[in-house]
Every structure is written in structure tokens, then in C-alpha cells.
Coordinates of all heavy atoms in Angstrom, one line a residue:
M1 N -39.7 68.5 -41.6 CA -39.2 67.1 -41.4 C -38.4 66.8 -42.7 O -38.9 67.0 -43.8 CB -40.4 66.2 -41.2 CG -40.0 64.8 -41.1 SD -41.3 63.6 -41.1 CE -41.8 63.7 -39.4
S2 N -37.3 66.2 -42.5 CA -36.5 65.8 -43.6 C -36.4 64.3 -43.7 O -36.5 63.6 -42.7 CB -35.0 66.4 -43.5 OG -34.4 65.8 -42.5
A3 N -36.3 63.8 -44.9 CA -36.2 62.3 -45.1 C -34.8 62.0 -45.5 O -34.1 62.7 -46.2 CB -37.1 61.9 -46.2
Q4 N -34.3 60.9 -44.9 CA -32.9 60.5 -45.2 C -33.0 59.4 -46.3 O -33.8 58.5 -46.1 CB -32.2 60.0 -44.0 CG -30.8 59.5 -44.3 CD -30.1 59.1 -43.0 OE1 -30.6 59.1 -41.9 NE2 -28.8 58.6 -43.2
V5 N -32.3 59.6 -47.3 CA -32.2 58.6 -48.4 C -31.0 57.8 -48.3 O -29.9 58.3 -48.2 CB -32.3 59.3 -49.8 CG1 -32.2 58.3 -50.9 CG2 -33.6 60.2 -49.9
I6 N -31.2 56.5 -48.2 CA -30.0 55.6 -48.2 C -29.8 55.1 -49.6 O -30.6 54.5 -50.2 CB -30.3 54.4 -47.2 CG1 -30.5 55.0 -45.8 CG2 -29.1 53.4 -47.2 CD1 -30.9 53.9 -44.8
T7 N -28.6 55.3 -50.1 CA -28.2 54.9 -51.4 C -27.9 53.4 -51.5 O -27.7 52.8 -50.5 CB -27.0 55.7 -51.9 OG1 -25.9 55.3 -51.2 CG2 -27.2 57.2 -51.8
E8 N -27.9 52.9 -52.7 CA -27.5 51.5 -52.9 C -26.1 51.3 -52.4 O -25.8 50.2 -51.8 CB -27.6 51.1 -54.4 CG -29.0 50.8 -54.7 CD -29.1 49.8 -55.9 OE1 -28.1 49.2 -56.4 OE2 -30.3 49.7 -56.4
A9 N -25.2 52.2 -52.6 CA -23.8 52.1 -52.2 C -23.7 52.0 -50.7 O -23.0 51.2 -50.1 CB -22.9 53.2 -52.7
E10 N -24.6 52.7 -50.0 CA -24.6 52.7 -48.5 C -25.1 51.3 -48.0 O -24.6 50.8 -47.0 CB -25.4 53.8 -47.9 CG -24.7 55.2 -48.1 CD -25.6 56.3 -47.8 OE1 -26.8 56.3 -48.1 OE2 -25.1 57.3 -47.2
T11 N -26.2 50.9 -48.7 CA -26.7 49.6 -48.3 C -25.7 48.5 -48.6 O -25.5 47.6 -47.7 CB -28.0 49.3 -49.2 OG1 -29.0 50.3 -48.9 CG2 -28.6 47.9 -48.8
A12 N -25.0 48.5 -49.7 CA -24.0 47.5 -50.1 C -22.9 47.5 -49.0 O -22.4 46.5 -48.5 CB -23.4 47.8 -51.4
L13 N -22.5 48.7 -48.6 CA -21.5 48.9 -47.6 C -21.9 48.3 -46.3 O -21.1 47.6 -45.6 CB -21.1 50.3 -47.4 CG -19.9 50.7 -46.6 CD1 -18.6 50.0 -47.2 CD2 -19.6 52.2 -46.6
G14 N -23.1 48.5 -45.9 CA -23.6 47.9 -44.7 C -23.6 46.3 -44.7 O -23.2 45.7 -43.7
H15 N -23.9 45.8 -45.9 CA -23.9 44.3 -46.0 C -22.4 43.8 -45.9 O -22.1 42.8 -45.3 CB -24.5 43.9 -47.3 CG -26.0 44.0 -47.4 ND1 -26.8 43.4 -46.5 CD2 -26.8 44.7 -48.2 CE1 -28.1 43.7 -46.8 NE2 -28.1 44.4 -47.8
L16 N -21.5 44.6 -46.6 CA -20.1 44.2 -46.5 C -19.5 44.3 -45.1 O -18.7 43.5 -44.7 CB -19.3 45.1 -47.5 CG -19.5 44.8 -49.0 CD1 -18.8 45.8 -49.9 CD2 -19.1 43.4 -49.4
E17 N -20.0 45.3 -44.4 CA -19.5 45.4 -43.0 C -19.9 44.2 -42.1 O -19.1 43.7 -41.3 CB -20.0 46.7 -42.4 CG -19.3 47.9 -43.0 CD -19.9 49.3 -42.5 OE1 -20.9 49.3 -41.9 OE2 -19.3 50.3 -42.9
R18 N -21.1 43.7 -42.3 CA -21.6 42.5 -41.6 C -20.7 41.3 -42.0 O -20.4 40.5 -41.2 CB -23.1 42.3 -41.8 CG -23.9 43.2 -41.0 CD -25.4 42.9 -41.1 NE -26.0 43.3 -42.4 CZ -26.2 44.6 -42.8 NH1 -25.9 45.6 -42.0 NH2 -26.8 44.8 -44.0
L19 N -20.4 41.2 -43.3 CA -19.6 40.1 -43.8 C -18.2 40.2 -43.2 O -17.6 39.3 -42.8 CB -19.5 40.1 -45.3 CG -18.6 39.1 -46.0 CD1 -19.0 37.6 -45.6 CD2 -18.6 39.3 -47.5
T20 N -17.7 41.5 -43.2 CA -16.4 41.7 -42.6 C -16.3 41.3 -41.2 O -15.3 40.6 -40.8 CB -16.0 43.2 -42.7 OG1 -15.9 43.6 -44.1 CG2 -14.7 43.6 -42.1
D21 N -17.3 41.5 -40.4 CA -17.3 41.1 -39.0 C -17.2 39.6 -38.9 O -16.4 39.0 -38.1 CB -18.6 41.6 -38.3 CG -18.6 43.1 -38.1 OD1 -17.6 43.7 -38.1 OD2 -19.7 43.6 -37.8
A22 N -18.0 38.9 -39.7 CA -17.9 37.4 -39.7 C -16.6 36.9 -40.2 O -16.1 35.9 -39.6 CB -19.0 36.9 -40.6
L23 N -16.0 37.5 -41.2 CA -14.7 37.0 -41.7 C -13.6 37.3 -40.7 O -12.8 36.4 -40.4 CB -14.4 37.7 -43.0 CG -15.2 37.3 -44.2 CD1 -15.1 38.3 -45.3 CD2 -14.7 35.9 -44.7
R24 N -13.6 38.4 -40.1 CA -12.5 38.7 -39.1 C -12.6 37.9 -37.9 O -11.6 37.5 -37.3 CB -12.6 40.2 -38.7 CG -12.1 41.1 -39.9 CD -12.0 42.5 -39.5 NE -11.4 43.3 -40.6 CZ -11.7 44.6 -40.8 NH1 -12.6 45.2 -40.0 NH2 -11.2 45.2 -41.8
S25 N -13.9 37.5 -37.5 CA -14.0 36.6 -36.3 C -13.5 35.2 -36.7 O -13.1 34.4 -35.8 CB -15.5 36.6 -35.9 OG -16.3 35.9 -36.8
D26 N -13.4 34.9 -38.0 CA -12.9 33.6 -38.4 C -11.4 33.7 -38.7 O -10.8 32.7 -39.1 CB -13.6 33.1 -39.7 CG -15.0 32.6 -39.4 OD1 -15.3 32.3 -38.2 OD2 -15.8 32.5 -40.4
G27 N -10.8 34.9 -38.5 CA -9.3 35.0 -38.6 C -8.9 35.5 -40.0 O -7.6 35.6 -40.2
W28 N -9.8 35.9 -40.9 CA -9.4 36.4 -42.2 C -9.1 37.9 -42.1 O -9.6 38.6 -41.3 CB -10.5 36.1 -43.2 CG -10.7 34.7 -43.4 CD1 -11.8 34.0 -42.8 CD2 -9.9 33.7 -44.1 NE1 -11.6 32.6 -43.1 CE2 -10.5 32.5 -43.9 CE3 -8.8 33.8 -44.8 CZ2 -10.0 31.3 -44.5 CZ3 -8.3 32.7 -45.4 CH2 -8.9 31.4 -45.2
T29 N -8.2 38.3 -43.0 CA -7.9 39.7 -43.1 C -8.8 40.3 -44.2 O -9.0 39.8 -45.3 CB -6.4 39.9 -43.6 OG1 -5.6 39.3 -42.6 CG2 -6.1 41.4 -43.8
V30 N -9.4 41.5 -43.9 CA -10.4 42.1 -44.8 C -10.1 43.6 -44.9 O -9.9 44.3 -43.8 CB -11.9 41.9 -44.3 CG1 -12.8 42.4 -45.3 CG2 -12.1 40.4 -44.0
E31 N -10.1 44.1 -46.1 CA -10.0 45.5 -46.3 C -11.3 46.0 -47.1 O -11.5 45.4 -48.2 CB -8.8 45.9 -47.1 CG -7.5 45.6 -46.3 CD -6.2 45.9 -47.1 OE1 -6.3 46.7 -48.0 OE2 -5.2 45.3 -46.7
V32 N -12.0 46.9 -46.7 CA -13.2 47.4 -47.4 C -12.9 48.7 -48.0 O -12.2 49.6 -47.4 CB -14.4 47.6 -46.4 CG1 -15.6 48.1 -47.1 CG2 -14.7 46.2 -45.8
A33 N -13.3 48.9 -49.3 CA -13.1 50.1 -50.0 C -14.4 50.6 -50.6 O -15.2 49.8 -51.0 CB -12.1 49.9 -51.1
A34 N -14.7 51.9 -50.5 CA -15.9 52.5 -51.0 C -15.6 53.7 -51.8 O -16.0 54.8 -51.5 CB -16.8 52.8 -49.9
P35 N -14.9 53.6 -53.0 CA -14.6 54.7 -53.8 C -15.9 55.3 -54.5 O -16.9 54.5 -54.7 CB -13.7 54.2 -54.9 CG -13.9 52.7 -54.9 CD -14.4 52.3 -53.5
D36 N -15.9 56.6 -54.8 CA -17.0 57.2 -55.4 C -17.4 56.7 -56.7 O -18.5 56.7 -57.2 CB -16.8 58.7 -55.4 CG -16.8 59.4 -54.0 OD1 -17.5 58.8 -53.1 OD2 -16.2 60.4 -53.9
D37 N -16.4 56.2 -57.5 CA -16.6 55.8 -58.9 C -16.9 54.4 -59.1 O -17.0 53.9 -60.3 CB -15.4 56.3 -59.7 CG -14.1 55.6 -59.3 OD1 -14.1 55.1 -58.1 OD2 -13.2 55.5 -60.1
R38 N -17.1 53.6 -58.1 CA -17.5 52.1 -58.3 C -18.1 51.6 -57.0 O -18.2 52.2 -56.0 CB -16.2 51.3 -58.7 CG -15.1 51.3 -57.8 CD -13.9 50.7 -58.4 NE -12.7 51.0 -57.5 CZ -12.1 50.1 -56.8 NH1 -12.4 48.8 -56.8 NH2 -11.1 50.4 -56.1
R39 N -18.6 50.4 -57.1 CA -19.2 49.7 -56.0 C -18.3 49.5 -54.8 O -17.1 49.2 -55.0 CB -19.7 48.3 -56.4 CG -20.8 48.2 -57.4 CD -21.1 46.8 -57.7 NE -22.1 46.7 -58.8 CZ -23.4 46.7 -58.6 NH1 -23.9 46.9 -57.4 NH2 -24.2 46.7 -59.6
P40 N -18.8 49.6 -53.6 CA -18.0 49.2 -52.5 C -17.6 47.7 -52.6 O -18.4 46.9 -53.1 CB -19.0 49.4 -51.3 CG -20.0 50.3 -51.7 CD -20.2 50.0 -53.2
S41 N -16.4 47.4 -52.1 CA -16.0 46.0 -52.2 C -15.1 45.7 -51.0 O -14.6 46.6 -50.3 CB -15.1 45.8 -53.5 OG -14.0 46.6 -53.4
A42 N -15.0 44.4 -50.7 CA -14.2 43.9 -49.6 C -13.1 43.0 -50.2 O -13.4 42.0 -51.0 CB -15.0 43.2 -48.6
L43 N -11.9 43.2 -49.9 CA -10.8 42.3 -50.3 C -10.5 41.4 -49.1 O -10.1 41.9 -48.0 CB -9.5 43.1 -50.7 CG -8.4 42.3 -51.1 CD1 -8.7 41.6 -52.5 CD2 -7.1 43.2 -51.3
V44 N -10.8 40.1 -49.3 CA -10.6 39.1 -48.3 C -9.3 38.4 -48.6 O -9.1 37.8 -49.6 CB -11.8 38.1 -48.3 CG1 -11.6 37.1 -47.1 CG2 -13.1 38.9 -48.2
A45 N -8.4 38.3 -47.6 CA -7.1 37.7 -47.8 C -6.8 36.7 -46.7 O -7.2 36.8 -45.5 CB -6.0 38.8 -47.8
D46 N -6.0 35.7 -47.1 CA -5.5 34.7 -46.1 C -4.4 35.4 -45.3 O -3.4 35.9 -45.9 CB -5.0 33.5 -46.9 CG -4.5 32.4 -46.0 OD1 -4.0 32.7 -44.9 OD2 -4.6 31.2 -46.5
P47 N -4.5 35.5 -44.0 CA -3.5 36.1 -43.3 C -2.1 35.5 -43.3 O -1.1 36.1 -43.1 CB -4.0 36.2 -41.8 CG -5.0 35.1 -41.8 CD -5.6 34.9 -43.2
L48 N -2.1 34.2 -43.7 CA -0.9 33.4 -43.8 C -0.2 33.6 -45.2 O 1.0 33.5 -45.3 CB -1.1 31.9 -43.5 CG -1.7 31.6 -42.1 CD1 -1.9 30.1 -42.0 CD2 -0.8 32.1 -41.0
M49 N -1.0 33.9 -46.2 CA -0.5 34.0 -47.6 C -1.4 35.1 -48.2 O -2.4 34.9 -48.9 CB -0.7 32.7 -48.3 CG 0.1 31.6 -47.8 SD -0.1 30.1 -48.7 CE 0.9 30.4 -50.1
R50 N -1.0 36.4 -48.0 CA -1.8 37.5 -48.4 C -2.0 37.5 -49.9 O -3.0 38.2 -50.4 CB -1.1 38.8 -48.0 CG -1.0 38.9 -46.5 CD -1.6 40.0 -45.8 NE -2.1 41.2 -46.5 CZ -3.2 41.7 -46.1 NH1 -4.0 41.2 -45.2 NH2 -3.6 42.8 -46.8
A51 N -1.2 36.8 -50.7 CA -1.4 36.8 -52.1 C -2.7 36.0 -52.5 O -3.3 36.2 -53.6 CB -0.3 36.2 -52.9
L52 N -3.2 35.2 -51.6 CA -4.4 34.5 -51.8 C -5.6 35.4 -51.3 O -5.7 35.5 -50.1 CB -4.4 33.2 -51.0 CG -3.4 32.1 -51.4 CD1 -3.4 30.9 -50.5 CD2 -3.6 31.7 -52.8
S53 N -6.3 35.9 -52.2 CA -7.3 36.8 -51.8 C -8.5 36.8 -52.8 O -8.4 36.2 -53.9 CB -6.8 38.3 -51.8 OG -6.4 38.7 -53.1
E54 N -9.6 37.3 -52.4 CA -10.8 37.3 -53.2 C -11.5 38.7 -53.0 O -11.5 39.2 -51.9 CB -11.9 36.3 -52.8 CG -11.5 34.9 -53.2 CD -11.5 34.7 -54.7 OE1 -12.1 35.5 -55.5 OE2 -10.8 33.7 -55.2
N55 N -12.0 39.3 -54.1 CA -12.7 40.5 -54.0 C -14.2 40.2 -53.9 O -14.7 39.3 -54.7 CB -12.4 41.4 -55.2 CG -12.8 42.8 -55.0 OD1 -12.7 43.3 -53.9 ND2 -13.2 43.4 -56.1
V56 N -14.9 40.8 -53.0 CA -16.4 40.5 -52.8 C -17.1 41.8 -52.9 O -16.7 42.9 -52.4 CB -16.6 39.9 -51.4 CG1 -18.1 39.6 -51.2 CG2 -15.8 38.6 -51.3
I57 N -18.3 41.7 -53.6 CA -19.2 42.9 -53.6 C -20.6 42.4 -53.1 O -20.9 41.2 -53.1 CB -19.4 43.5 -55.0 CG1 -19.8 42.4 -56.1 CG2 -18.0 44.1 -55.5 CD1 -20.1 43.0 -57.4
A58 N -21.5 43.4 -52.7 CA -22.8 43.1 -52.4 C -23.7 43.7 -53.4 O -23.5 44.9 -53.7 CB -23.2 43.6 -51.0
V59 N -24.6 43.0 -54.0 CA -25.4 43.5 -55.1 C -26.9 43.2 -54.9 O -27.3 42.1 -54.4 CB -25.0 42.8 -56.4 CG1 -25.8 43.3 -57.6 CG2 -23.5 43.1 -56.7
R60 N -27.8 44.1 -55.2 CA -29.2 43.9 -55.2 C -29.5 42.9 -56.3 O -29.1 43.0 -57.4 CB -30.0 45.2 -55.5 CG -31.5 45.0 -55.4 CD -32.2 46.2 -55.9 NE -31.8 47.4 -55.2 CZ -32.5 48.0 -54.2 NH1 -33.5 47.3 -53.6 NH2 -32.0 49.1 -53.6
E61 N -30.4 41.9 -55.9 CA -30.8 40.9 -56.9 C -32.2 41.2 -57.4 O -33.1 41.3 -56.7 CB -30.8 39.5 -56.2 CG -29.5 39.0 -55.9 CD -29.5 37.5 -55.4 OE1 -30.1 37.2 -54.4 OE2 -28.9 36.7 -56.1
G62 N -32.2 41.5 -58.7 CA -33.5 41.8 -59.3 C -34.0 43.2 -58.9 O -33.2 44.1 -58.5
S63 N -35.3 43.4 -58.9 CA -35.8 44.7 -58.6 C -36.3 44.8 -57.2 O -36.8 45.8 -56.7 CB -36.9 45.1 -59.6 OG -38.0 44.1 -59.5
G64 N -36.2 43.7 -56.4 CA -36.7 43.6 -55.0 C -35.7 44.1 -54.0 O -34.8 44.8 -54.3
D65 N -35.9 43.7 -52.8 CA -35.0 44.1 -51.7 C -34.0 43.0 -51.3 O -33.4 43.1 -50.3 CB -35.9 44.5 -50.5 CG -36.6 45.8 -50.7 OD1 -36.2 46.6 -51.4 OD2 -37.7 45.9 -50.0
D66 N -33.9 42.0 -52.1 CA -33.0 40.9 -51.9 C -31.6 41.3 -52.3 O -31.4 41.8 -53.5 CB -33.4 39.6 -52.5 CG -34.7 39.1 -52.0 OD1 -35.0 39.3 -50.8 OD2 -35.4 38.4 -52.8
W67 N -30.6 41.1 -51.5 CA -29.2 41.3 -51.8 C -28.4 40.0 -51.6 O -28.8 39.2 -50.9 CB -28.6 42.4 -50.8 CG -29.1 43.8 -51.1 CD1 -30.4 44.3 -50.9 CD2 -28.4 44.8 -51.7 NE1 -30.4 45.6 -51.3 CE2 -29.2 46.0 -51.8 CE3 -27.0 45.0 -52.1 CZ2 -28.8 47.2 -52.3 CZ3 -26.6 46.2 -52.6 CH2 -27.4 47.3 -52.7
A68 N -27.3 40.0 -52.4 CA -26.4 38.8 -52.3 C -25.0 39.2 -52.4 O -24.6 40.3 -53.0 CB -26.7 37.8 -53.3
Y69 N -24.1 38.4 -51.8 CA -22.6 38.6 -52.0 C -22.2 37.9 -53.2 O -22.6 36.8 -53.5 CB -21.9 38.0 -50.8 CG -22.2 38.7 -49.5 CD1 -23.0 38.0 -48.5 CD2 -21.9 40.0 -49.2 CE1 -23.3 38.5 -47.3 CE2 -22.2 40.5 -48.0 CZ -22.9 39.8 -47.0 OH -23.2 40.4 -45.8
F70 N -21.3 38.5 -54.0 CA -20.8 38.0 -55.2 C -19.2 38.1 -55.2 O -18.7 39.1 -54.7 CB -21.3 38.7 -56.4 CG -22.7 38.4 -56.8 CD1 -23.8 39.0 -56.1 CD2 -23.0 37.5 -57.8 CE1 -25.1 38.7 -56.4 CE2 -24.4 37.2 -58.1 CZ -25.4 37.8 -57.4
Y71 N -18.6 37.2 -55.8 CA -17.1 37.3 -56.1 C -17.0 38.5 -57.1 O -18.0 38.8 -57.9 CB -16.5 36.1 -56.7 CG -16.5 34.9 -55.7 CD1 -17.4 33.9 -55.8 CD2 -15.5 34.9 -54.8 CE1 -17.3 32.8 -54.9 CE2 -15.4 33.8 -53.9 CZ -16.3 32.8 -53.9 OH -16.3 31.8 -53.0
G72 N -15.9 39.1 -57.2 CA -15.6 40.2 -58.1 C -15.9 39.8 -59.6 O -16.3 40.7 -60.4
W73 N -15.8 38.6 -60.0 CA -16.0 38.2 -61.4 C -17.5 37.9 -61.6 O -17.9 37.6 -62.8 CB -15.1 37.0 -61.8 CG -15.4 35.7 -61.1 CD1 -16.4 34.8 -61.4 CD2 -14.8 35.2 -59.9 NE1 -16.4 33.8 -60.6 CE2 -15.4 34.0 -59.6 CE3 -13.8 35.6 -59.1 CZ2 -15.0 33.2 -58.6 CZ3 -13.4 34.8 -58.1 CH2 -14.0 33.6 -57.8
G74 N -18.4 37.9 -60.6 CA -19.8 37.8 -60.8 C -20.5 36.5 -60.3 O -21.7 36.4 -60.4
E75 N -19.7 35.6 -59.8 CA -20.3 34.3 -59.2 C -20.9 34.6 -57.9 O -20.3 35.2 -57.0 CB -19.3 33.2 -59.1 CG -19.9 31.9 -58.6 CD -18.9 30.8 -58.6 OE1 -17.9 30.9 -59.3 OE2 -19.1 29.9 -57.8
R76 N -22.2 34.2 -57.7 CA -22.9 34.4 -56.4 C -22.3 33.5 -55.3 O -22.0 32.4 -55.5 CB -24.4 34.1 -56.6 CG -25.2 34.4 -55.4 CD -26.7 34.1 -55.8 NE -27.6 34.6 -54.8 CZ -28.0 33.9 -53.7 NH1 -27.5 32.8 -53.4 NH2 -28.9 34.5 -52.9
I77 N -22.1 34.1 -54.1 CA -21.6 33.4 -53.0 C -22.7 33.0 -52.0 O -22.9 31.8 -51.7 CB -20.6 34.3 -52.2 CG1 -19.5 34.7 -53.1 CG2 -20.1 33.5 -50.9 CD1 -18.6 35.8 -52.5
A78 N -23.5 33.9 -51.6 CA -24.6 33.7 -50.6 C -25.5 34.9 -50.5 O -25.0 36.0 -50.8 CB -24.0 33.3 -49.3
P79 N -26.7 34.7 -50.0 CA -27.5 35.9 -49.7 C -26.9 36.8 -48.6 O -26.3 36.3 -47.7 CB -28.9 35.4 -49.3 CG -28.6 34.0 -48.8 CD -27.4 33.5 -49.6
C80 N -27.2 38.1 -48.7 CA -26.7 39.0 -47.6 C -27.3 38.7 -46.3 O -26.8 39.2 -45.3 CB -26.8 40.4 -48.1 SG -25.7 40.9 -49.4
T81 N -28.4 38.0 -46.3 CA -29.0 37.6 -45.0 C -28.2 36.6 -44.3 O -28.5 36.3 -43.1 CB -30.5 37.1 -45.2 OG1 -30.4 36.0 -46.1 CG2 -31.4 38.2 -45.7
D82 N -27.2 36.0 -44.9 CA -26.4 35.0 -44.3 C -24.9 35.3 -44.4 O -24.1 34.6 -45.1 CB -26.7 33.6 -45.0 CG -26.0 32.5 -44.4 OD1 -25.5 32.6 -43.2 OD2 -25.9 31.4 -45.0
P83 N -24.4 36.4 -43.7 CA -23.0 36.7 -43.8 C -22.1 35.6 -43.2 O -21.0 35.4 -43.8 CB -22.9 38.0 -43.0 CG -24.1 38.1 -42.2 CD -25.2 37.3 -42.9
S84 N -22.5 34.8 -42.3 CA -21.7 33.7 -41.7 C -21.5 32.6 -42.8 O -20.5 32.1 -42.9 CB -22.4 33.1 -40.5 OG -22.4 34.1 -39.5
G85 N -22.6 32.3 -43.5 CA -22.5 31.3 -44.6 C -21.6 31.8 -45.7 O -20.8 31.0 -46.3
A86 N -21.7 33.1 -46.0 CA -20.8 33.7 -47.1 C -19.3 33.6 -46.6 O -18.4 33.3 -47.3 CB -21.2 35.1 -47.4
A87 N -19.1 33.9 -45.3 CA -17.7 33.9 -44.7 C -17.2 32.4 -44.8 O -16.0 32.2 -45.1 CB -17.7 34.4 -43.3
S88 N -18.0 31.5 -44.5 CA -17.6 30.1 -44.6 C -17.3 29.7 -46.0 O -16.2 29.0 -46.2 CB -18.7 29.1 -44.0 OG -18.9 29.4 -42.7
A89 N -18.1 30.1 -46.9 CA -17.8 29.7 -48.3 C -16.5 30.4 -48.8 O -15.7 29.7 -49.4 CB -18.9 30.2 -49.2
L90 N -16.3 31.6 -48.5 CA -15.0 32.3 -48.8 C -13.8 31.6 -48.1 O -12.8 31.4 -48.8 CB -15.0 33.8 -48.4 CG -15.8 34.7 -49.3 CD1 -16.3 35.9 -48.6 CD2 -15.0 35.0 -50.5
G91 N -14.0 31.2 -46.9 CA -12.9 30.5 -46.2 C -12.6 29.2 -46.8 O -11.4 28.9 -47.0
R92 N -13.6 28.5 -47.3 CA -13.3 27.2 -48.0 C -12.5 27.4 -49.3 O -11.6 26.7 -49.6 CB -14.6 26.5 -48.3 CG -15.2 25.8 -47.1 CD -16.4 24.9 -47.5 NE -17.5 25.5 -48.1 CZ -18.5 26.2 -47.5 NH1 -18.5 26.2 -46.2 NH2 -19.4 26.7 -48.2
V93 N -12.9 28.4 -50.0 CA -12.2 28.7 -51.3 C -10.7 29.1 -51.0 O -9.8 28.6 -51.6 CB -12.9 29.8 -52.1 CG1 -12.1 30.4 -53.2 CG2 -14.2 29.3 -52.6
L94 N -10.5 30.0 -50.1 CA -9.2 30.5 -49.8 C -8.3 29.4 -49.2 O -7.1 29.2 -49.5 CB -9.2 31.7 -48.9 CG -9.7 33.0 -49.6 CD1 -10.0 34.1 -48.6 CD2 -8.8 33.5 -50.6
T95 N -8.9 28.6 -48.3 CA -8.1 27.5 -47.7 C -7.8 26.4 -48.7 O -6.6 25.9 -48.7 CB -9.0 26.8 -46.6 OG1 -9.3 27.8 -45.6 CG2 -8.2 25.7 -45.9
A96 N -8.7 26.1 -49.7 CA -8.4 25.2 -50.7 C -7.2 25.7 -51.6 O -6.3 24.9 -52.0 CB -9.6 24.9 -51.6
R97 N -7.2 26.9 -51.8 CA -6.0 27.5 -52.6 C -4.7 27.4 -51.9 O -3.7 27.1 -52.4 CB -6.3 28.9 -53.0 CG -7.4 29.1 -54.0 CD -7.5 30.5 -54.5 NE -8.6 30.6 -55.4 CZ -9.1 31.8 -55.7 NH1 -8.7 32.9 -55.2 NH2 -10.1 31.8 -56.5
R98 N -4.8 27.6 -50.5 CA -3.6 27.5 -49.7 C -3.0 26.1 -49.7 O -1.8 25.8 -49.8 CB -3.9 27.9 -48.3 CG -2.7 27.9 -47.4 CD -3.0 28.0 -45.9 NE -4.0 28.9 -45.5 CZ -4.8 28.8 -44.5 NH1 -4.6 27.7 -43.7 NH2 -5.7 29.7 -44.1
D99 N -4.0 25.1 -49.7 CA -3.6 23.7 -49.6 C -3.1 23.1 -50.9 O -2.5 22.0 -50.9 CB -4.8 22.9 -49.0 CG -5.1 23.3 -47.6 OD1 -4.3 23.9 -46.9 OD2 -6.2 23.0 -47.2
N100 N -3.3 23.8 -52.0 CA -2.8 23.3 -53.3 C -1.4 23.7 -53.6 O -0.8 24.6 -53.3 CB -3.8 23.8 -54.4 CG -5.1 23.1 -54.4 OD1 -5.1 21.9 -54.0 ND2 -6.1 23.7 -54.8

């Protein structure tokens, strides 16, 4: 019997995929990247103004099993248990930038 080990990168990627589904259903453009040398990330862009974008990562919080979405610069967005809430928060940020 063999045991399958799921790495942190795979767990992060799974969380980003759930966020991606929520974002795309709201009309945002999302590109997910999972290079070997860094954390998986999602680039979320306004489909009307592609220059307006945010980079998002999923990170384990502390030593437990809690994960959260963070902007690329480190500000927390929402827990990974709430991809719809994270998608809404990202949408508000990107929409506010478009309207300015």
C-alpha cells in the first residue's frame, strides 16, 4: 500500500482553483501559475482594463490547517474556506481602481 503525500504547493493550487472558479463566474480574467521555484499564484485582471490586476496567493496560516488568500504584497484577503468572499473583495478593489 502506498501513501500519497499532498504538498503545500498542491494544497495552495487547489485553493486557488476554487477562487478562480468564483472569479471567472463573476466575469474576471484569471491566470494561474505554478512554477517549481515559487508559490502558485493567480493573476486576477479586469477584462475591460487588463492593466488593472492583482496577484493572489494561498498561504497556510500558522502551524494549523487554516489557509487564507493574500495579495502578492502580503495583505490578507479572506480565508480559503470562503472563495466567494475573496472573489467579492478582489472585485471591489479592481472595480474601485477602474472607477478612479
Side-chain angles (χ1 to χ4, degrees):
M1 176 187 281
S2 66
Q4 182 176 357
V5 176
I6 298 175
T7 66
E8 280 205 12
E10 290 169 323
T11 301
L13 190 55
H15 289 304
L16 289 174
E17 288 172 352
R18 285 186 286 285
L19 177 61
T20 296
D21 291 342
L23 287 162
R24 287 185 177 151
S25 71
D26 288 343
W28 299 100
T29 301
V30 186
E31 295 177 22
V32 176
D36 291 334
D37 61 339
R38 59 189 167 113
R39 293 181 183 274
S41 63
L43 181 65
V44 183
D46 183 330
L48 302 176
M49 299 179 74
R50 300 239 345 139
L52 296 177
S53 63
E54 286 294 340
N55 197 34
V56 178
I57 58 175
V59 179
R60 180 190 307 267
E61 293 190 296
S63 60
D65 289 333
D66 295 330
W67 285 72
Y69 299 109
F70 285 82
Y71 291 103
W73 67 83
E75 182 178 336
R76 187 177 190 274
I77 302 169
C80 288
T81 55
D82 187 15
S84 294
S88 294
L90 283 158
R92 283 190 300 274
V93 167
L94 290 168
T95 301
R97 289 185 185 165
R98 179 192 323 149
D99 294 342
N100 285 330

